[in-house]
Amino acid sequence: MGRIKRSIGMALAAGAVLASATACGGHAAASTADAKSSPKASAKAGTTAGASASPSPTRPSGPPLLLDTITPESGSTVGVAMPISVEFTHAVSSSARAAIERHLKVTTSVPVTGAWHWFSDTRVDWRPEKFWPSGTRVTLNADLDGVTDGNGRYGTRSYQHSFTIGSDFETTVSVPDHTMKVTRNGSVVRTMAIDAGSPDFPSWDGTMAVMDKQREVRMTSCSVGITCDKGNPNFYDLTLPWDVQLTTSGTYVHYSTGDPYPGHSYGSHGCVHLSLSDAEWFYNNVEPGDPVTISGSPRGNVAGDNGYADFNVSWSQWLADSATGRQTTSAS
């Protein structure tokens, strides 16, 4: 089922247009936002102090190194599984990644051990080794002025994002048992009946941080490449309520009119279905960054960059794709 992507990250490029995302598509692949912007010129004025004075240093020549998004949005409160995700508009060379990581400084109100990890040449995420401690205040200082991407582009400014980690609100979904359990700060607050994907359109396994939520989303089989044929039994075109997005490729937790009483069968093309009352409750209580862990599906684990499934990557693999390795944050 399909929709237009709404990122909780801050769009940094003027006129940025976010690519479409998908919903409940069992065979869909992750998509990545692609945005361009017009560079904003900036220069440092030189000074003179007599005939022998030398000009002050100037910014290196070349097009600007620009950021597409920083997630999460500055000033937000997010769940314990939310990474810091920085996306560049153009590719960063492998040779420049260590320098860029050193200019992406993470500080926290309490020391936290974590690391940067490059999912691609345009996306780098920082996450703790384990979930964030609740109540942690986090600041990213991206001091990229004059920093090169290794491909002829140089930063022209700095960015600062600060956010807070909320309560430890965790959700676990058992596909074979058709159940979903929610805990807050370690105590079970609700257990609900669910239906997940079918053998032909299975749900993803693994831990996914909630990306977004909307009261209504239009979902279509055509948008995820299942079928555009209205005569096909897998065709759907529905606007459904209480939608919580888990992946870029379109996994949601939501209510479906086609499966109003879940808890006993396969009922979706990859999403997790709740009853109407349970879906509304979950929507009203869950926040971006809260972890949802699905198990028992035959599809396998979701890729870490399909949304914010960073904790689906093992810590050793996380460090393997870091240019500067493990670090412990200093107090902000």
Side-chain angles (χ1 to χ4, degrees):
M1 308 180 188
R3 56 156 287 192
I4 298 299
K5 176 183 174 185
R6 295 179 62 219
S7 172
I8 66 168
M10 175 182 178
L12 299 173
V17 178
L18 297 179
S20 61
T22 59
C24 298
H27 302 308
S31 61
T32 303
D34 181 22
K36 310 293 181 185
S37 72
S38 299
K40 186 175 182 180
S42 177
K44 295 180 180 179
T47 60
T48 59
S52 63
S54 299
S56 62
T58 58
R59 180 175 290 113
S61 61
L65 182 159
L66 298 174
L67 300 188
D68 187 352
T69 58
I70 298 176
T71 302
E73 185 176 356
S74 195
S76 61
T77 297
V78 296
V80 297
M82 176 58 73
I84 302 170
S85 186
V86 178
E87 294 195 48
F88 297 85
T89 60
H90 293 80
V92 173
S93 169
S94 296
S95 63
R97 292 179 184 178
I100 283 181
E101 287 183 23
R102 285 192 289 268
H103 284 84
L104 298 174
K105 185 178 180 181
V106 179
T107 56
T108 54
S109 57
V110 295
V112 176
T113 298
W116 290 101
H117 173 97
W118 291 85
F119 280 116
S120 69
D121 57 10
T122 58
R123 175 176 168 180
V124 61
D125 285 14
W126 197 98
R127 54 154 265 214
E129 182 176 3
K130 300 178 181 179
F131 289 161
W132 294 99
S134 294
T136 305
R137 297 183 301 277
V138 185
T139 297
L140 169 68
N141 285 291
D143 184 12
L144 296 174
D145 192 10
V147 178
T148 182
D149 67 357
N151 290 317
R153 293 179 177 272
Y154 293 87
T156 61
R157 57 162 293 185
S158 298
Y159 307 85
Q160 185 179 89
H161 270 223
S162 296
F163 59 95
T164 302
I165 306 302
S167 63
D168 184 3
F169 189 90
E170 300 186 31
T171 300
T172 55
V173 175
S174 172
V175 173
D177 295 334
H178 304 286
T179 59
M180 182 167 118
K181 182 174 69 176
V182 178
T183 63
R184 180 181 280 112
N185 299 324
S187 298
V188 177
V189 293
R190 197 171 179 110
T191 301
M192 295 167 274
I194 63 98
D195 286 334
S198 68
D200 290 334
F201 300 96
S203 303
W204 286 114
D205 270 348
T207 298
M208 295 150 264
V210 169
M211 296 180 66
D212 190 16
K213 61 180 184 178
Q214 284 187 271
R215 290 178 65 90
E216 287 188 340
V217 172
R218 182 185 177 191
M219 301 186 176
T220 71
S221 58
C222 190
S223 68
V224 293
I226 293 176
T227 182
C228 298
D229 178 8
K230 294 183 179 180
N232 190 298
N234 285 308
F235 177 85
Y236 55 84
D237 185 345
L238 301 167
T239 298
L240 299 171
W242 313 123
D243 305 284
V244 176
Q245 186 178 4
L246 303 183
T247 67
T248 309
S249 62
T251 305
Y252 283 76
V253 178
H254 66 134
Y255 169 74
S256 175
T257 54
D259 185 27
Y261 305 107
H264 51 79
S265 67
Y266 301 114
S268 81
H269 291 83
C271 288
V272 175
H273 290 169
L274 294 168
S275 70
L276 184 60
S277 61
D278 284 341
E280 183 177 5
W281 180 90
F282 188 63
Y283 176 93
N284 286 331
N285 283 271
V286 75
E287 296 296 342
D290 287 336
V292 176
T293 301
I294 300 175
S295 63
S297 178
R299 192 176 189 184
N301 285 343
V302 65
D305 60 348
N306 189 350
Y308 302 117
D310 298 53
F311 283 95
N312 225 29
V313 180
S314 70
W315 184 238
S316 60
Q317 184 57 52
W318 190 266
L319 294 177
D321 289 312
S322 174
T324 55
R326 172 180 173 145
Q327 55 192 251
T328 299
T329 61
S330 58
S332 54

